[in-house]
Amino acid sequence: MECLPHLFYQRNNVTTIARQLIGKKLTTVLDGHVTSGLIVETEAYSFKEKGCHAFNNKLTNRNKVMFEAGGVAYVYLCYGIHSLLNVVTGQQGRAEAVLIRAIQPLAGQEFMLHRMKLKKLDRITSGPGKLTKALGITHSFNGSSVMGPNLFIDAGPNPHRHKIIATTRIGIDYAGADALLPWRFYLKDNEWVSKW
DNA sequence: TAGAGGATTGAT
DNA sequence: TCAATCCTCTAC
């Protein structure tokens, strides 16, 4: 399966890309261990709104990866505990990214369980902090390409006919009116979505 | 340089 | 409802 190309990410429309990433396949290959899952939930973030780390084009040491050209990973530590994975989009200098919030496991489930120290697959990748742990994604991925060799996204199975719901994003009440933007996308009726 | 807070999660 | 946990950013 071929990776999505640079051009997919380097469009200046982050909500369109967030919607189109639903149903795609996210894979990591680490030390020969392949783990992958179907992306079932995303959120879009843009410099134009307060929910974004790079609101108003504010450049910091943490968010500088967001200003790179689309197609790289922006991974940061949340609440001191969880690594969250974003895919940077847009052209260079345009700070936009898509947060991957949930996946449905497709391959390497046994190794995901090992990483999570769990015995049941039950919803182990239903949340942004959980899927990164299951796939072995840490801060060391920050700035690395999502077109391989360790991390990549391809079209996945059944690329057509996904019913996608658009709704408000989670956990950004501090963003005021911007918290009401319908920039969260998920696959309808999918049990791996983090929250309905 | 100190202090506050966070794009979460799981247990109570 | 709340604690875990630590990096980042802001203010001084």
Side-chain angles (χ1 to χ4, degrees):
Chain A
M1 197 80 74
E2 287 199 12
C3 290
L4 300 179
H6 292 87
L7 289 176
F8 178 87
Y9 303 103
Q10 292 175 5
R11 293 172 291 165
N12 293 333
N13 190 333
V14 68
T15 55
T16 296
I17 297 169
R19 177 185 286 270
Q20 291 177 350
L21 279 173
I22 300 288
K24 301 293 190 290
K25 189 171 79 167
L26 174 67
T27 302
T28 59
V29 182
L30 296 171
D31 297 326
H33 297 288
V34 177
T35 46
S36 68
L38 195 71
I39 297 171
V40 298
E41 182 180 350
T42 62
E43 286 181 359
Y45 288 88
S46 167
F47 64 94
K48 291 182 278 191
E49 45 84 22
K50 292 181 188 153
C52 182
H53 291 164
F55 172 57
N56 233 356
N57 279 316
K58 184 177 64 179
L59 175 65
T60 68
N61 194 48
R62 176 176 66 164
N63 72 15
K64 58 188 177 189
V65 170
M66 289 189 73
F67 290 82
E68 294 188 13
V72 296
Y74 169 43
V75 182
Y76 75 97
L77 189 65
C78 183
Y79 294 104
I81 307 169
H82 307 288
S83 292
L84 269 53
L85 170 66
N86 293 252
V87 179
V88 175
T89 70
Q91 296 181 315
Q92 187 163 20
R94 185 182 173 96
E96 292 181 327
V98 176
L99 171 67
I100 309 298
R101 283 194 57 91
I103 62 173
Q104 175 178 338
L106 290 176
Q109 286 95 333
E110 285 300 315
F111 205 73
M112 290 184 194
L113 290 172
H114 171 71
R115 284 182 177 131
M116 306 290 278
K117 296 186 170 65
L118 293 173
K119 295 190 174 165
K120 284 203 280 188
L121 273 176
D122 193 39
R123 295 178 62 75
I124 60 163
T125 52
S126 297
K130 295 159 76 174
L131 75 90
T132 53
K133 189 175 179 186
L135 294 184
I137 294 169
T138 65
H139 184 72
S140 66
F141 279 74
N142 192 44
S144 63
S145 172
V146 298
M147 285 159 280
N150 300 116
L151 174 67
F152 51 93
I153 300 174
D154 63 51
N158 307 316
H160 344 278
R161 290 193 314 150
H162 291 294
K163 288 185 184 170
I164 296 171
I165 306 293
T167 182
T168 53
R169 294 170 295 175
I170 290 174
I172 54 162
D173 293 343
Y174 58 84
D178 288 334
L180 301 177
L181 293 168
W183 283 14
R184 172 175 174 243
F185 304 94
Y186 66 88
L187 206 49
K188 187 173 187 291
D189 298 327
N190 186 284
E191 60 178 329
W192 295 89
V193 169
S194 65
K195 289 179 184 173
W196 290 275

